[in-house]
């Protein structure tokens, strides 16, 4: 029996006015103080003044993670509600004007906005990040090479950004489309091992493409701060159980690959093309896409692809078994993106204006963030 890996979760939230559903542009000092008081050491500022992050402690199991995020979501929401403010947990707001948002004034974020200009100003987006600890001696780039093919499936399960600027985007994860505007934010480069990673990093630093303390923002990356691999591809999940499902699945995949001690070569040109194609299909169609499966490269549904994942990495813990069960439920019943589109369509069908329909979406997302099973 392999030793379980510890893990941590980072959730990003946007702050909005509960009455109107509009994002705040300049939250008051009282709002900022409430966030810090409730989240304490787990609170972090994000790119925009209307955006915050809760970064968890290290967990040993899903029960600990559930308790932590239920508590923090509930207490943050209750405290902020006294100021008329709510938490928006989806990856994109349906109609927030990004042009009105104010960036953080810290040196780090000033440099970020100066370097990336409108790409940064448009990135009013929330993600779900999961860190999984790996044992000493594990080559994290080889581990990533083993995991990268499955990343689009994890994105499918998380999709929550179908709307932007008051319009249906036609994508289930428009957030990941926008992430493509940034450098070093897509799939990881096909690097053979940790040595190749360090040489690549040194090359970019030497040529001015990456700052000395800079980092890659790949869909999955080796953390520079912790001995972890970090999943970054996922949209933020309004439903906490969806977020926990993704964390448990990713942890399970890491544990299984660490236990097998199998060094994978960098992605072949063909497999990288297949992964990139599946990635695009996941962004565009979500759970309704047909994907290129692991067996003989035949087209498969998202549900069948999940079955292939489970056959290859069988659950060996209660957390993993429950994660597979919940993932099947997501694919059968829908993601947040599906529910947002349904709320929008229902409101429009009942005579709501476009702005009112977007408000209905906001209400649905805010409620989902506090609907714990």
């Amino acid at each position: 029996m392999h030793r379980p890996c510890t893990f941590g979760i980072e959730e990003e939230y946007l702050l909005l006015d509960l009455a109107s559903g509009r994002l705040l542009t300049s939250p008051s000092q009282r709002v900022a103080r409430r966030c810090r008081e409730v989240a304490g050491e787990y609170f972090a500022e994000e790119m925009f003044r209307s955006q915050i992050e809760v970064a968890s402690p290290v967990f040993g199991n899903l029960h600990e993670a559930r308790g932590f995020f239920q508590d923090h979501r509930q207490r943050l929401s209750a405290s902020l509600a006294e100021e008329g403010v709510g938490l928006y947990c989806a990856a994109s707001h349906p109609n927030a004007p990004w042009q009105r948002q104010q960036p953080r004034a810290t040196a780090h974020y000033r440099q970020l906005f100066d370097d990336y200009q409108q790409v940064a100003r448009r990135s009013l987006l929330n993600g779900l990040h999961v860190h999984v600890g790996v044992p000493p001696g594990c080559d994290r780039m080889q581990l990533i090479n083993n995991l990268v093919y499955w990343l689009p499936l994890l994105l499918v399960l998380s999709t929550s950004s179908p709307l932007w600027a008051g319009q249906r985007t036609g994508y289930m994860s428009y957030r990941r489309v926008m992430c493509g505007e940034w450098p070093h934010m897509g799939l990881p480069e096909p690097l053979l091992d940790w040595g190749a990673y360090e040489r690549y990093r040194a090359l970019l630093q030497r040529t001015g493409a990456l700052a000395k303390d800079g980092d890659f923002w790949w869909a999955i990356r080796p953390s520079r701060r912790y001995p972890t691999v970090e999943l970054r591809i996922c949209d933020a999940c309004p439903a906490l159980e969806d977020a926990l499902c993704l964390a448990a699945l990713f942890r399970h995949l890491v544990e299984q690959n660490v236990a097998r001690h199998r060094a994978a070569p960098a992605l072949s040109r063909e497999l990288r093309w297949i992964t990139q194609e599946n990635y695009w299909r996941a962004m565009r169609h979500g759970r309704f896409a047909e994907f290129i499966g692991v067996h003989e490269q035949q087209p498969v549904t998202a549900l069948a692809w999940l079955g292939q994942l489970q056959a290859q990495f069988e659950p060996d813990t209660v957390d993993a078994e429950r994660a597979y069960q919940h993932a099947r439920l997501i694919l059968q019943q829908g993601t947040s993106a599906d529910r947002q589109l349904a709320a929008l369509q229902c409101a429009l069908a009942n005579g709501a204006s476009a702005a009112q329909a977007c408000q209905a979406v906001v209400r649905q997302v805010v409620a989902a963030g506090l609907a714990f099973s």
Side-chain angles (χ1 to χ4, degrees):
M1 180 71 176
H2 62 267
R3 183 178 180 181
C5 294
T6 57
F7 67 103
I9 301 171
E10 299 167 0
E11 286 196 328
E12 295 169 343
Y13 314 113
L14 294 169
L15 303 176
L16 52 73
D17 178 82
L18 284 173
S20 67
R22 298 189 184 97
L23 289 192
L24 305 183
T25 55
S26 183
S28 69
Q29 289 298 317
R30 293 192 308 275
V31 168
R33 185 167 58 250
R34 285 179 181 273
C35 291
R36 289 187 175 89
E37 287 174 351
V38 172
E41 64 183 301
Y42 307 116
F43 169 80
E45 295 178 334
E46 267 296 332
M47 287 177 62
F48 298 94
R49 292 189 62 191
S50 62
Q51 187 178 39
I52 65 170
E53 178 183 87
V54 172
S56 78
V58 176
F59 300 128
N61 57 61
L62 218 55
H63 177 73
E64 295 172 356
R66 180 178 291 105
F68 175 87
F69 278 103
Q70 278 189 5
D71 176 65
H72 277 73
R73 284 192 183 196
Q74 286 175 328
R75 290 195 297 117
L76 265 174
S77 295
S79 181
L80 291 172
E82 295 180 17
E83 303 289 340
V85 175
L87 292 179
Y88 191 82
C89 306
S92 67
H93 188 279
N95 63 345
W98 57 266
Q99 299 92 335
R100 299 179 188 173
Q101 289 299 307
Q102 297 184 16
R104 293 283 179 188
T106 63
H108 169 73
Y109 286 120
R110 281 200 304 269
Q111 187 65 56
L112 193 74
F113 280 91
D114 185 58
D115 287 345
Y116 298 106
Q117 296 291 310
Q118 187 148 307
V119 168
R121 293 192 292 270
R122 276 172 30 89
S123 294
L124 190 62
L125 306 164
N126 288 332
L128 169 72
H129 302 160
V130 181
H131 287 265
V132 176
V134 298
C138 176
D139 189 307
R140 286 182 286 167
M141 278 312 304
Q142 291 182 348
L143 177 59
I144 284 171
N145 289 336
N146 280 326
L147 300 172
V148 71
Y149 167 77
W150 299 104
L151 296 185
L153 179 57
L154 300 183
L155 174 60
V156 167
L157 294 167
S158 74
T159 52
S160 70
S161 48
L163 305 169
W164 182 258
Q167 297 181 328
R168 298 179 182 88
T169 65
Y171 289 81
M172 301 303 270
S173 178
Y174 192 60
R175 166 182 163 268
R176 288 308 304 182
V177 175
M178 295 179 68
C179 286
E181 298 178 351
W182 291 78
H184 319 305
M185 202 179 276
L187 297 176
E189 297 298 334
L191 303 170
L192 182 62
D193 54 22
W194 189 255
Y197 168 82
E198 292 284 27
R199 290 191 297 274
Y200 178 65
R201 181 181 175 82
L203 169 66
L204 295 188
Q205 290 177 331
R206 189 170 63 249
T207 57
L210 190 69
K212 285 291 183 184
D213 60 346
D215 213 340
F216 300 115
W217 300 307
W218 292 330
I220 181 174
R221 70 178 182 183
S223 172
R224 297 290 296 179
R225 297 173 59 194
Y226 309 110
T228 65
V229 287
E230 181 186 3
L231 179 71
R232 298 175 58 84
I233 198 171
C234 294
D235 280 2
C237 295
L240 178 57
E241 288 303 316
D242 292 358
L244 296 174
C245 165
L246 286 156
L249 273 181
F250 182 59
R251 179 198 189 195
H252 177 63
L253 296 185
V254 172
E255 288 178 342
Q256 289 281 303
N257 279 281
V258 167
R260 295 177 188 188
H261 301 290
R262 181 168 56 88
L267 288 183
S268 68
R269 182 179 300 177
E270 182 181 58
L271 187 55
R272 186 169 180 82
W273 177 86
I274 289 171
T275 304
Q276 190 69 49
E277 177 64 21
N278 282 341
Y279 177 35
W280 187 88
R281 296 182 188 190
M283 288 188 287
R284 173 68 174 88
H285 299 291
R287 69 190 179 107
F288 297 107
E290 269 200 339
F291 298 95
I292 303 173
V294 71
H295 300 304
E296 300 178 358
Q297 299 171 1
Q298 294 299 308
V300 293
T301 65
L303 198 58
W305 200 19
L306 177 67
Q308 292 181 353
L309 177 69
Q310 184 168 353
Q312 188 163 328
F313 302 104
E314 294 182 358
D316 57 355
T317 65
V318 172
D319 281 355
E321 179 60 46
R322 289 177 177 171
Y324 278 120
Q325 290 173 357
H326 190 77
R328 285 193 292 273
L329 195 66
I330 292 173
L331 295 179
Q332 291 163 351
Q333 297 185 356
T335 66
S336 174
D338 295 304
R339 290 187 285 275
Q340 289 177 51
L341 291 172
L344 183 81
Q345 186 58 41
C346 180
L348 291 172
N350 287 324
S353 67
Q356 291 169 335
C358 286
Q359 282 184 308
V361 172
V362 169
R363 289 193 296 271
Q364 188 273 325
V365 169
V366 171
L370 291 171
F372 306 124
S373 57

